[in-house]
């Protein structure tokens, strides 16, 4: 029974934690929903207000009617009619809006949503609050108790300064009507919504626990999603700040909701406990019966042995028990699997060797043809070019010795760059000062193992298809550095670049063998074969701007390849 009790306790704890988390998420979502509702409802209204507050013709007409009363021109009457239509639309669309005032600084009257011109009275509370409004405030929210239509109601008064003129749009919201709209957001958790300004002054409470919420210390809410004790009762408190209207929105959920929600799970928990007890008893019965039969069998075998009768032992009975049998089968299966994996790894390695040898053989004739063609051009010139031909032939011999070596024998990046410079020297003899190449390699990178002729085809492509066709001198830059466990390779050239269509064709062609891109496609295939798909070439180019060819090699893949080789 002890395991059943432990499982039951764990189930209760998990259920309680699940319900508490669900209640916490519900409170957090409700606060956000209320804030979004405030933004949506009030922003729509203020947006409509700004339509005429930003209209210079309507403002001029408003100035005239505030200054001259009803004696205005026909054009002003049309603009005032538009203002009246906008105010009427607000009042009819948003039932919780009680009134809207339009006031321009320096005038003794203001215009109301009831289409009347009212004289300013120094005893008007809305006027007093506006006088105290800070100059750097664009919006302000205060709660006022006075209203000419409903003197017993409380109203949230919003002030919005006119952006282009010295004046203000004042909107009063019936908190009872607005609260009725918010009730749908708190139905599930029976919580209470509290509005306060940034001075921690309580503006508005709505919900079943309004009396407790009215006594909450807003300044004491430092963290969101914490439990607080209010008037002797525990509440889960969530809060957020609505920056648009400088309103602090607080939502409190009574602890009794946690208990009420748990009550709904009690039948399920009892069912789980009962099922656990039945399962435990059934399991104990089956186990006891099996062990009893096993003991009886052993006793019988021993008794028969004493009498000279030996049972026939089958393959499955040679094990001491069923656990030995399962363990032996697992070991046998593991050994077979391991053997198959080793055979598969050897086969895959043989295929990689064959693929690398084929790719290496593919790039050598391509490189030799291009270089010999350059030597032929220099030899035809004759004369003073003979010494250059000799040096180019010497460099070519060194390069071919390097290129024809065992492709599986790793070399260092330092060796690769050294032979790359020999190739660049051959190209410099052909093109002279048509291009300049820079090498920017982090010092610790030189000893990393790489495969042969990894960089030469990329540099060749930058020379022959990039800077070669520039009218002015071109520049090529090789950058190699380490970042986030990867060795990053970048080749920049200031050549003629490629159009989007041509770039698309090149990107597609390097994925397979192509007679027009044998160098790049070869390097791309070898990179993927050595280090995986993530090391494939990436080409970026713009017509007339140049080209970037880049790839990266994970450091762990470099170590693995070096170990294999």
């Amino acid at each position: 029974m002890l395991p059943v009790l432990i499982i039951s306790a764990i189930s209760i704890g998990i259920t309680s934690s699940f319900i508490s988390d669900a209640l916490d998420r519900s409170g957090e979502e409700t606060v956000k929903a209320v804030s979004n509702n405030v933004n949506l409802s009030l922003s729509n209204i203020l947006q409509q207000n700004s339509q005429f507050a930003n209209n210079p013709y309507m403002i001029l007409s408003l100035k005239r009617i505030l200054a001259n009363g009803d004696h205005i021109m026909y054009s002003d009457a049309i603009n005032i009619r538009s203002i009246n239509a906008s105010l009427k639309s607000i009042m009819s669309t948003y039932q919780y809006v009680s009134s809207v005032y339009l006031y321009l600084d320096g005038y003794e009257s203001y215009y109301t949503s009831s289409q009347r011109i009212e004289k300013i009275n120094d005893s008007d509370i809305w006027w007093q609050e506006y006088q105290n409004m800070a100059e750097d405030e664009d919006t302000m929210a205060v709660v006022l108790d006075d209203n000419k239509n409903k003197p017993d109601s409380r109203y949230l008064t919003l002030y919005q300064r006119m952006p282009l003129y010295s004046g203000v749009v004042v909107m009063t919201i019936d908190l009872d009507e607005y609260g009725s709209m918010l009730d749908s957001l708190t139905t599930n958790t029976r919580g209470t919504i509290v509005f306060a300004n940034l001075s921690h002054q309580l503006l508005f409470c709505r919900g079943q626990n309004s009396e407790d919420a009215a006594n909450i210390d807003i300044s004491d809410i430092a963290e969101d999603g914490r439990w607080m004790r209010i008037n002797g009762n525990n509440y889960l408190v969530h809060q957020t700040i609505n920056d648009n209207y400088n309103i602090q929105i607080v939502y409190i959920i009574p602890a009794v909701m946690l208990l009420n929600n748990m009550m709904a799970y009690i039948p399920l928990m009892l069912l789980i406990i009962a099922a656990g007890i039945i399962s435990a008893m059934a399991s104990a019965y089956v186990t006891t019966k099996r062990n009893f039969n096993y003991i009886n069998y052993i006793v019988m075998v021993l008794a028969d042995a004493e009498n000279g009768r030996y049972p026939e032992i089958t393959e499955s009975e040679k094990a001491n028990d069923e656990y030995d049998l399962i363990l032996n089968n697992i070991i046998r299966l593991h050994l077979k699997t391991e053997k198959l994996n080793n055979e598969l790894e050897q086969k895959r390695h043989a295929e990689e060797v064959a693929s690398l040898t084929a790719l290496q053989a593919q790039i050598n004739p391509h490189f030799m043809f291009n270089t010999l063609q350059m030597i032929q051009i220099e030899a035809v010139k004759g004369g003073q070019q003979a010494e250059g031909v000799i040096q180019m032939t010497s460099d070519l011999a060194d390069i071919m010795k390097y290129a024809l070596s065992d492709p599986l024998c790793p070399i260092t990046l330092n060796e690769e760059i050294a032979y790359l410079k020999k190739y660049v020297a051959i190209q410099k003899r052909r093109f002279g000062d048509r291009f300049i190449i820079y090498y920017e390699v982090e010092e610790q990178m030189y000893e990393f193992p790489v495969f042969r002729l990894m960089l030469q085809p990329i540099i060749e492509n930058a020379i022959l298809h990039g800077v070669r066709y520039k009218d002015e001198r071109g520049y090529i830059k090789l950058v190699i550095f380490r970042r986030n466990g990867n060795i990053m390779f970048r080749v920049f050239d200031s050549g003629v670049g490629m159009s989007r269509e041509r770039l698309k064709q090149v990107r597609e062609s390097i994925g397979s063998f192509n007679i027009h891109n044998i160098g790049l496609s070869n390097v791309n295939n070898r990179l993927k074969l050595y280090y995986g798909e993530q090391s494939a070439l990436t080409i970026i180019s713009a017509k007339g701007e140049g080209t970037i060819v880049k790839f990266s090699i994970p450091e762990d893949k470099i170590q693995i390849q070096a170990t294999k080789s």
Side-chain angles (χ1 to χ4, degrees):
M1 293 298 294
L2 182 60
V4 175
L5 294 177
I6 294 175
I7 293 175
S8 301
I10 293 174
S11 300
I12 293 174
I14 292 175
T15 303
S16 176
S17 176
F18 171 77
I19 295 174
S20 179
D21 290 343
L23 205 62
D24 186 62
R25 287 194 302 271
S26 177
E28 183 179 359
E29 292 171 357
T30 300
V31 166
K32 292 180 180 179
V34 171
S35 181
N36 291 336
N37 185 283
V38 170
N39 286 332
L40 182 61
S41 57
L42 299 186
S43 295
N44 288 341
I45 300 173
L46 295 179
Q47 179 66 27
Q48 287 186 258
N49 291 338
S50 65
Q51 290 180 359
F52 55 78
N54 293 334
N55 189 316
Y57 298 104
M58 292 187 180
I59 294 299
L60 289 175
S61 299
L62 182 62
K63 285 183 177 182
R64 294 191 186 99
I65 194 173
L66 291 180
N68 304 321
D70 295 332
H71 304 289
I72 57 176
M73 297 182 296
Y74 176 75
S75 59
D76 292 336
I78 294 177
N79 290 327
I80 294 299
R81 190 177 303 161
S82 298
I83 294 176
N84 290 336
S86 296
L87 295 178
K88 183 178 180 181
S89 173
I90 293 173
M91 300 294 293
S92 60
T93 303
Y94 307 99
Q95 300 296 325
Y96 46 83
V97 177
S98 177
S99 60
V100 180
Y101 302 156
L102 303 178
Y103 173 71
L104 298 174
D105 293 351
Y107 289 85
E108 297 180 354
S109 302
Y110 60 94
Y111 195 76
T112 71
S113 54
S114 57
Q115 305 179 16
R116 295 200 307 267
I117 301 174
E118 299 281 353
K119 286 288 186 180
I120 294 177
N121 191 331
D122 290 338
S123 62
D124 289 339
I125 299 180
W126 76 266
W127 166 257
Q128 297 173 5
E129 292 292 339
Y130 174 58
Q131 296 302 307
N132 296 328
M133 186 176 177
E135 293 183 0
D136 58 347
E137 281 187 296
D138 293 328
T139 60
M140 182 178 70
V142 295
V143 172
L144 304 179
D145 294 326
D146 69 324
N147 186 276
K148 297 178 180 180
N149 299 324
K150 298 180 181 180
D152 296 332
S153 300
R154 300 191 73 205
Y155 292 84
L156 177 66
T157 303
L158 288 178
Y159 296 80
Q160 182 188 31
R161 291 188 185 276
M162 296 181 183
L164 302 179
Y165 304 91
S166 297
V168 67
V169 178
V170 183
M171 180 173 60
T172 57
I173 296 175
D174 189 328
L175 290 177
D176 291 333
E177 292 288 340
Y178 189 71
S180 299
M181 184 186 67
L182 296 179
D183 286 343
S184 60
L185 300 176
T186 62
T187 303
N188 295 334
T189 55
R190 302 178 187 176
T192 300
I193 298 175
V194 180
F195 283 13
N197 58 26
L198 297 186
S199 301
H200 305 305
Q201 177 186 6
L202 189 66
L203 300 179
F204 167 65
C205 292
R206 183 76 179 190
Q208 297 183 2
N209 306 100
S210 298
E211 293 183 2
D212 287 349
N215 296 314
I216 190 173
D217 185 359
I218 302 295
S219 62
D220 192 40
I221 305 176
E223 299 178 2
D224 186 40
R226 58 171 292 193
W227 287 92
M228 292 183 63
R229 194 165 184 83
I230 307 172
N231 279 1
N233 299 314
N234 291 321
Y235 290 90
L236 178 62
V237 181
H238 282 274
Q239 65 94 25
T240 188
I241 303 295
N242 188 298
D243 295 324
N244 293 331
Y245 302 100
N246 296 328
I247 296 176
Q248 183 176 7
I249 301 173
V250 180
Y251 185 58
I252 64 173
I253 303 174
V256 68
M257 281 302 301
L258 181 62
L259 298 177
N260 291 342
N261 289 347
M262 287 190 64
M263 292 295 293
Y265 287 89
I266 286 181
L268 178 60
M269 287 189 291
L270 292 177
L271 182 61
I272 293 174
I273 292 173
I277 293 174
I278 294 173
S279 299
M281 293 178 65
S283 177
Y285 173 77
V286 171
T287 302
T288 302
K289 183 177 180 181
R290 185 188 61 179
N291 292 338
F292 183 76
N293 292 336
Y294 185 63
I295 293 173
N296 279 342
Y297 174 75
I298 293 175
V299 171
M300 183 184 67
V301 170
L302 293 175
D304 289 342
E306 289 179 357
N307 296 323
R309 296 189 300 269
Y310 298 95
E312 295 182 1
I313 301 177
T314 62
E315 184 68 22
S316 61
E317 292 174 337
K318 290 181 180 179
N320 293 330
D321 53 29
E322 63 271 23
Y323 301 107
D324 282 348
L325 178 61
I326 294 173
L327 184 60
N328 290 337
N329 287 335
I330 291 175
I331 293 174
R332 188 180 301 109
L333 180 61
H334 174 72
L335 293 175
K336 289 182 179 180
T337 303
E338 193 67 23
K339 180 181 178 181
L340 291 174
N341 287 338
N342 289 335
E343 292 176 352
L344 183 61
E345 179 67 20
Q346 292 175 3
K347 182 178 179 182
R348 189 185 67 82
H349 183 67
E351 291 177 351
E352 286 186 359
V353 171
S355 298
L356 289 172
T357 303
L359 290 171
Q360 184 74 37
Q362 181 190 93
I363 198 169
N364 288 334
H366 166 71
F367 171 73
M368 181 182 294
F369 173 79
N370 287 343
T371 307
L372 288 176
Q373 190 178 44
M374 288 188 292
I375 293 176
Q376 181 187 20
I377 294 172
E378 294 295 321
V380 169
K381 294 179 181 178
Q384 297 179 353
Q385 304 297 331
E387 182 179 350
V389 171
I390 294 173
Q391 183 62 45
M392 289 172 66
T393 305
S394 175
D395 288 342
L396 175 60
D398 291 339
I399 292 174
M400 293 311 299
K401 179 182 177 181
Y402 171 72
L404 291 172
S405 299
D406 183 3
L408 297 180
C409 181
I411 50 95
T412 63
L413 184 60
N414 188 36
E415 294 177 272
E416 173 73 5
I417 293 177
Y419 283 98
L420 173 63
K421 290 179 178 179
K422 289 181 180 290
Y423 169 79
V424 172
I426 293 175
Q427 295 288 20
K428 290 284 285 185
R429 290 183 181 277
R430 178 181 177 184
F431 295 107
D433 294 331
R434 293 288 301 278
F435 71 91
I436 297 177
I437 184 168
Y438 299 95
Y439 302 90
E440 186 176 306
V441 184
E442 291 185 0
E443 191 67 29
Q444 62 271 28
M445 298 292 101
Y446 282 106
E447 297 306 317
F448 272 99
V450 296
F451 60 79
R452 297 173 188 273
L453 296 178
M454 181 174 70
L455 299 175
Q456 179 268 331
I458 302 176
I459 298 298
E460 179 183 28
N461 190 75
I463 295 173
L464 299 183
H465 302 287
V467 299
R468 174 185 182 182
Y469 298 105
K470 291 278 287 187
D471 294 333
E472 67 275 5
R473 176 183 293 174
Y475 298 90
I476 301 173
K477 187 175 184 181
L478 171 62
V479 182
I480 305 175
F481 57 95
R482 175 192 281 140
R483 177 179 294 169
N484 299 329
N486 292 283
I487 308 301
M488 317 298 290
F489 294 80
R490 303 285 188 271
V491 177
F492 305 84
D493 73 70
S494 63
V496 295
M498 291 178 279
S499 64
R500 292 184 179 179
E501 294 76 13
R502 177 57 183 157
L503 179 60
K504 182 179 179 182
Q505 293 174 359
V506 173
R507 286 173 175 170
E508 293 174 351
S509 66
I510 65 172
S512 59
F513 176 76
N514 184 289
I515 60 174
H516 300 295
N517 291 290
I518 180 174
L520 288 182
S521 62
N522 188 291
V523 172
N524 187 55
N525 288 331
R526 287 194 293 160
L527 283 171
K528 293 191 289 184
L529 188 58
Y530 264 95
Y531 309 115
E533 291 290 335
Q534 71 273 22
S535 295
L537 290 179
T538 299
I539 303 176
I540 303 171
S541 185
K543 187 71 172 178
E545 299 294 333
T547 301
I548 302 172
V549 180
K550 62 180 181 178
F551 63 93
S552 63
I553 303 175
E555 288 190 57
D556 56 347
K557 293 292 184 68
I558 291 179
Q559 301 300 330
I560 291 173
Q561 289 297 333
T563 302
K564 286 184 178 180
S565 301

